[in-house]
Amino acid sequence: MAGILDVPKPRVTCSMLTQYISRPVCFVGRVEKVHPTGKTFTVADGEGKVATVELNDPLEEELSGIVEVIGMVSNKGAIMATTYNVLREDKGILFDLELYTEALKVIHDFPQHYPFVVAASG
């Protein structure tokens, strides 16, 4: 079975998480709060809605700004992170999270033009 990093993952917002329970997703949001244990943090999407991200191991670095999380959606709607990447904004180019969210809505509204799954030929 292919690992989570090897399979197509839809990009989602907080309001879409419940549609992807037990499935891999890619989520981009702004870090809101990191739990003192470092094992969970919350992220807000471009609409200001908040999702919880749960980690297998505690954070070893300070986490802030925009982050891309890849993981599975739990039954509670939390993202069980496999990996995350901080999108640096230190070069003066800010990430427009609201515009990103609008683009996701278009992608999800027109799946025939933006397919997430590539059909296997054989």
Side-chain angles (χ1 to χ4, degrees):
M1 184 172 153
I4 190 170
L5 298 176
D6 300 323
V7 298
K9 294 161 287 300
R11 292 183 172 270
V12 298
T13 63
C14 287
S15 60
M16 299 172 191
L17 286 173
T18 56
Q19 300 168 30
Y20 292 94
I21 301 251
S22 300
R23 292 173 53 197
V25 296
C26 179
F27 183 94
V28 175
R30 184 172 305 280
V31 175
E32 293 287 307
K33 185 176 182 182
V34 177
H35 190 273
T37 63
K39 295 222 21 165
T40 65
F41 60 93
T42 57
V43 286
D45 65 12
E47 296 178 317
K49 296 178 182 169
V50 177
T52 300
V53 177
E54 297 182 9
L55 304 168
N56 288 326
D57 300 311
L59 290 167
E60 295 180 2
E61 62 185 344
E62 184 176 318
L63 194 60
S64 64
I66 302 293
V67 64
E68 177 187 60
V69 178
I70 294 175
M72 298 287 282
V73 181
S74 74
N75 291 336
K76 298 177 184 176
I79 303 168
M80 310 302 288
T82 299
T83 186
Y84 68 88
N85 296 304
V86 177
L87 305 181
R88 301 283 178 212
E89 296 181 297
D90 57 356
K91 302 248 187 285
I93 302 170
L94 299 179
F95 186 86
D96 191 333
L97 194 53
E98 291 78 18
L99 185 59
Y100 173 82
T101 298
E102 290 302 313
L104 287 186
K105 288 179 185 176
V106 170
I107 289 169
H108 284 270
D109 286 346
F110 299 97
Q112 68 275 23
H113 299 296
Y114 305 100
F116 289 124
V117 180
V118 178
S121 61

